[in-house]
C-alpha cells in the first residue's frame, strides 16, 4: 500500500463507551462517570496520543435504545453531565487538543450557545468547537412545551439547524477584533463602532445582536455535524467546517464525499475548506480473536448484538491503520473513532493505532499548532462586519 497523506484523528467520548454494556467492564469506572476527574483523565489520554480533538456527547433526555422515544432499560448508562461545561472544566488542564462538545440546537437558543462556545474558546485559548445536533424526540420537546417534533419534520429541523449555525457565526463576528480598548487613562473600554447588530431575520429566528462576548480567539470556533443522508449532507455542506459520515467501505466513502462536495458547490461554498471525517466504532486488541471475543462477551451482557449508526471495526490497531488508509484514499480527510469501551479502546487508539500510523508517516509526531483551526489547517477567518 502506498503511503497515505497525514490523517486527522478525533475520538467521540460517550459515557463509559459506545457499547451499551461497556459500563460493566472492569476498566469502566462507572462510579466516576459524573465527576470532573473522569472526563479530565479521558481527554488527557486523547491529548497524550496527539489527537486533533475530542467530541463529547450530550442530549435533552435520557439515553434510549429507541430512535424517537424513551426506553425502560435499567441495565445501561442513563444520565449525563452537560457537555459544554465538561469541556470548559477540562480546558485549563489541557494545552493542545481541541474540545468539541455536542449542542442540541433544537429547542435551544443560538444566542446562548454562541456565548457558551465563545467562552470555551477563551478558556481553552483557541481550541473550541461544537457539534450541532437536532432532535425529533417528542419526549424532549415536552421539556420545553413550545412545539412538537417527529420523524417527518427532520428536514425542517435540519434547515432550522443551518439557520441556527448562521446566527451563531454572525454573533461571533458581531464584535470586531480589537473592539476592546481597555484604556483606563481615557476611560474607554470598548470601541462602540466595532460592535455590530447582526439583524438576522428568518422563518425560525429573529436575532438583533450584538453578542455580549468579544470575538473568540479563533474568530470562528469549529462547527461540526454528523450526517447519514442527503438532507444532513446538505447541512454539513452549508454550515460546517467538519462533517462526520458513516460509509461502510471505500466505494461508499467516495460516493458520500462526492455528494457533499456537490452540495457544497450548490451552497456557494466550493472554495471553503471542509473536512469530511469517517465515523467508526472500534473494538481494538492486539489479537483480533481477543477483540471478537470481547465484543461477543459485551453483546451477551447486553442481551443482544450491538448495532450502530456507524460502521463497527473489530481487530488490531495495525489492521485499523490499514483500513483508515484505504478509506482516506477515497477522499476522507480524517476519522472520528468511537471507543466501544472507553477505558480499553481509547488507550488502544492512543498507544496502539497512533504509533502504527506514525511509523507509516501518516500521523503527526507533535502538535504543530496552538488552535484547533490550526491543527486542521483552517485559517482564522476575516470578520464579516469589519470595514475593508
Amino acid at each position: 500500500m502506498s503511503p497515505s497523506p497525514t490523517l486527522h484523528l478525533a475520538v467521540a467520548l460517550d459515557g463509559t463507551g459506545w457499547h451499551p454494556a461497556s459500563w460493566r467492564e472492569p476498566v469502566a469506572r462507572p462510579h466516576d462517570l459524573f465527576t470532573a476527574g473522569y472526563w479530565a483523565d479521558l481527554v488527557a489520554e486523547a491529548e497524550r496520543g496527539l489527537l486533533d480533538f475530542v467530541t463529547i456527547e450530550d442530549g435533552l433526555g435520557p439515553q434510549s435504545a429507541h430512535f424517537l422515544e424513551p426506553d425502560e432499560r435499567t441495565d445501561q448508562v442513563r444520565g449525563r453531565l452537560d457537555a459544554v461545561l465538561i469541556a470548559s472544566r477540562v480546558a485549563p488542564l489541557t494545552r493542545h487538543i481541541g474540545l468539541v462538545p455536542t449542542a442540541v440546537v433544537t429547542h435551544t437558543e443560538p444566542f446562548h450557545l454562541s456565548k457558551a462556545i465563545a467562552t470555551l474558546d477563551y478558556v481553552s485559548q483557541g481550541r473550541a468547537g461544537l457539534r450541532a445536533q437536532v432532535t425529533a424526540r417528542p419526549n424532549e420537546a415536552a421539556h420545553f412545551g413550545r412545539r412538537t417534533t417527529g420523524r417527518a419534520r427532520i428536514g425542517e429541523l435540519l434547515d432550522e439547524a443551518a439557520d441556527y449555525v448562521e446566527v451563531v457565526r454572525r454573533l461571533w463576528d458581531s464584535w470586531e477584533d480589537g473592539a476592546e480598548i481597555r484604556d483606563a487613562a481615557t476611560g474607554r473600554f470598548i470601541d462602540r463602532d466595532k460592535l455590530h447588530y447582526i439583524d438576522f431575520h428568518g422563518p425560525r429566528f429573529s436575532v438583533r445582536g450584538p453578542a455580549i462576548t468579544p470575538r473568540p480567539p479563533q474568530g470562528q470556533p469549529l462547527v461540526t455535524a454528523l450526517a447519514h443522508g442527503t438532507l444532513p449532507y446538505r447541512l454539513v455542506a452549508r454550515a460546517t467546517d467538519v462533517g462526520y459520515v458513516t460509509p461502510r467501505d471505500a466505494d461508499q466513502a467516495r460516493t458520500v464525499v462526492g455528494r457533499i462536495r456537490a452540495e457544497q458547490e450548490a451552497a456557494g461554498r466550493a472554495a471553503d475548506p471542509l473536512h469530511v471525517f469517517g465515523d467508526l466504532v472500534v473494538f481494538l486488541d492486539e489479537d483480533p480473536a481477543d477483540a471478537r471475543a470481547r465484543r461477543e462477551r459485551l453483546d451477551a451482557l447486553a442481551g443482544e448484538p450491538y448495532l450502530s449508526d456507524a460502521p463497527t471495526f473489530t481487530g488490531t490497531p495495525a489492521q485499523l491503520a490499514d483500513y483508515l488508509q484505504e478509506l482516506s484514499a477515497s477522499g476522507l480527510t480524517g476519522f472520528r473513532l468511537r471507543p466501544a469501551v472507553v477505558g480499553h479502546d481509547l488507550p488502544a487508539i492512543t498507544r496502539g493505532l497512533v504509533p502504527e500510523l506514525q511509523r507509516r508517516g501518516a500521523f503527526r509526531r507533535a502538535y504543530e499548532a496552538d488552535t484547533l483551526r490550526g491543527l486542521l489547517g483552517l485559517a482564522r477567518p476575516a470578520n464579516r462586519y469589519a470595514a475593508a
Side-chain angles (χ1 to χ4, degrees):
M1 177 183 293
S2 60
S4 292
T6 300
L7 299 177
H8 295 287
L9 287 180
V11 291
L13 301 178
D14 185 15
T16 57
W18 287 80
H19 194 289
S22 60
W23 71 278
R24 300 175 69 177
E25 289 285 274
V27 296
R29 299 172 60 190
H31 294 290
D32 298 333
L33 186 55
F34 301 113
T35 67
Y38 174 84
W39 294 95
D41 290 346
L42 296 185
V43 179
E45 180 63 36
E47 186 170 63
R48 209 171 287 124
L50 305 177
L51 304 187
D52 290 82
F53 60 91
V54 299
T55 63
I56 304 169
E57 293 301 297
D58 208 342
L60 297 178
Q63 299 93 320
S64 175
H66 305 315
F67 178 64
L68 283 177
E69 59 190 21
D71 61 24
E72 301 299 326
R73 299 194 71 145
T74 60
D75 63 336
Q76 298 176 4
V77 171
R78 295 293 182 264
R80 304 181 187 276
L81 299 181
D82 183 277
V84 175
L85 294 180
I86 290 172
S88 293
R89 176 64 183 87
V90 170
L93 307 178
T94 56
R95 295 184 58 196
H96 301 287
I97 194 165
L99 302 166
V100 182
T102 295
V104 181
V105 299
T106 313
H107 309 303
T108 63
E109 294 295 332
F111 190 91
H112 296 147
L113 183 61
S114 74
K115 178 178 66 170
I117 300 300
T119 299
L120 176 59
D121 209 41
Y122 275 102
V123 172
S124 65
Q125 297 182 310
R127 294 181 285 120
L130 70 91
R131 181 172 89 85
Q133 178 176 289
V134 303
T135 176
R137 290 182 172 179
N139 66 299
E140 296 179 4
H143 294 325
F144 303 91
R146 294 198 293 262
R147 61 178 178 176
T148 59
T149 58
R151 185 191 294 268
R153 295 189 60 204
I154 289 292
E156 182 181 337
L157 294 176
L158 291 167
D159 285 342
E160 176 184 82
D163 281 356
Y164 190 112
V165 170
E166 177 64 18
V167 173
V168 167
R169 289 192 183 278
R170 291 190 191 190
L171 287 168
W172 285 336
D173 276 351
S174 64
W175 289 54
E176 292 185 37
D177 296 321
E180 317 92 70
I181 300 170
R182 303 187 181 95
D183 189 342
T186 64
R188 296 182 70 211
F189 189 86
I190 62 170
D191 181 346
R192 188 62 186 81
D193 291 336
K194 291 189 175 183
L195 271 63
H196 300 275
Y197 297 116
I198 70 168
D199 288 327
F200 183 93
H201 299 286
R204 304 162 189 90
F205 302 106
S206 180
V207 181
R208 191 179 189 209
I212 65 169
T213 306
R215 194 173 194 233
Q218 292 183 101
Q220 293 277 321
L222 206 70
V223 177
T224 77
L226 174 64
H228 296 304
T230 298
L231 294 178
Y233 293 159
R234 192 166 298 152
L235 171 65
V236 164
R238 289 172 59 189
T240 74
D241 304 294
V242 179
Y244 314 115
V245 297
T246 55
R248 303 286 164 171
D249 54 38
D251 288 340
Q252 191 177 14
R254 190 174 295 107
T255 299
V256 168
V257 171
R259 290 172 66 184
I260 289 176
R261 298 304 179 200
E263 292 286 355
Q264 190 180 1
E265 184 171 1
R269 293 189 66 208
D272 295 345
L274 172 62
H275 284 286
V276 182
F277 278 28
D279 254 30
L280 290 170
V281 179
V282 295
F283 296 79
L284 297 176
D285 285 280
E286 287 305 314
D287 186 325
D290 291 341
R292 290 191 296 270
R294 184 162 58 92
R295 179 176 178 179
E296 291 168 1
R297 185 179 72 252
L298 289 165
D299 285 350
L301 288 171
E304 58 189 3
Y306 174 66
L307 299 175
S308 172
D309 60 305
T312 301
F313 179 90
T314 305
T316 70
Q319 289 172 333
L320 179 56
D322 289 340
Y323 186 53
L324 297 186
Q325 290 189 297
E326 177 187 349
L327 287 177
S328 70
S330 301
L332 299 175
T333 55
F335 298 90
R336 187 177 71 141
L337 305 179
R338 308 181 189 180
V341 179
V342 73
H344 181 108
D345 296 299
L346 176 58
I349 292 167
T350 58
R351 306 176 194 188
L353 173 65
V354 165
E356 179 64 29
L357 289 172
Q358 288 171 333
R359 282 192 288 272
R360 302 178 186 203
F363 195 66
R364 66 169 62 88
R365 292 185 175 272
Y367 280 112
E368 65 275 7
D370 295 326
T371 69
L372 178 52
R373 295 188 71 90
L375 290 177
L376 294 175
L378 302 175
R380 188 178 190 273
N383 189 308
R384 73 189 69 198
Y385 297 114

